[in-house]
Amino acid sequence: MTFQVNSTLLDACVLSIVNQKDTYGYEITQEIKNKLSISESTLYPVLRRLQKEMLLETYDQEVTGRNRRYYRITKAGTEKLKFYKKAWKTHVEDISDIVLRGEIND
């Protein structure tokens, strides 16, 4: 069983990955796909939207004779990521209080 991933969670994941280092779309999608059941076609619109919202910016770099589009987090993106991280911690605690109620930590 998997849980649904909404657009806010995808935004947080993408911003978190790009916050670690500038990277390109395929690399971002592969990292997310390794953890979540998401298609590549779902993630490219997320990247475009985050760029449109000025949370990410892009630049092209030549790699083996071809241009590759890299994504870089902006200052606004960093601030949004801080907000998402704080909200995520609270969310996980609240859900754990409900779902794991009465369980002893392993």
Side-chain angles (χ1 to χ4, degrees):
M1 181 177 134
T2 60
F3 296 96
Q4 277 192 320
V5 177
N6 66 24
S7 63
T8 303
L9 185 55
L10 280 177
D11 289 358
C13 289
V14 169
L15 290 173
S16 184
I17 290 168
V18 178
N19 189 53
Q20 301 299 311
K21 66 174 184 164
D22 293 2
T23 189
Y24 54 98
Y26 181 77
E27 190 172 61
I28 295 166
T29 60
Q30 293 309 300
E31 188 167 342
I32 291 175
K33 281 177 56 175
N34 285 335
K35 302 290 182 182
L36 303 172
S37 181
I38 297 293
S39 70
E40 288 178 36
S41 62
T42 300
L43 289 169
Y44 281 99
V46 172
L47 290 168
R48 285 191 295 275
R49 184 174 43 73
L50 292 173
Q51 184 183 1
K52 186 176 179 181
E53 293 174 3
M54 295 192 283
L55 302 176
L56 293 178
E57 58 188 16
T58 63
Y59 61 93
D60 292 339
Q61 185 170 331
E62 187 177 322
V63 177
T64 61
R66 297 181 64 174
N67 276 341
R68 181 180 285 166
R69 174 146 299 158
Y70 279 82
Y71 294 86
R72 172 188 305 134
I73 196 165
T74 64
K75 184 175 180 180
T78 301
E79 291 304 312
K80 189 71 160 187
L81 179 58
K82 286 179 188 177
F83 169 79
Y84 284 150
K85 285 181 176 184
K86 184 176 179 183
W88 177 252
K89 287 177 185 177
T90 301
H91 179 74
V92 168
E93 290 170 3
D94 292 346
I95 297 300
S96 292
D97 284 347
I98 295 168
V99 174
L100 303 177
R101 184 175 291 153
E103 288 189 15
I104 298 173
N105 290 336
D106 295 325

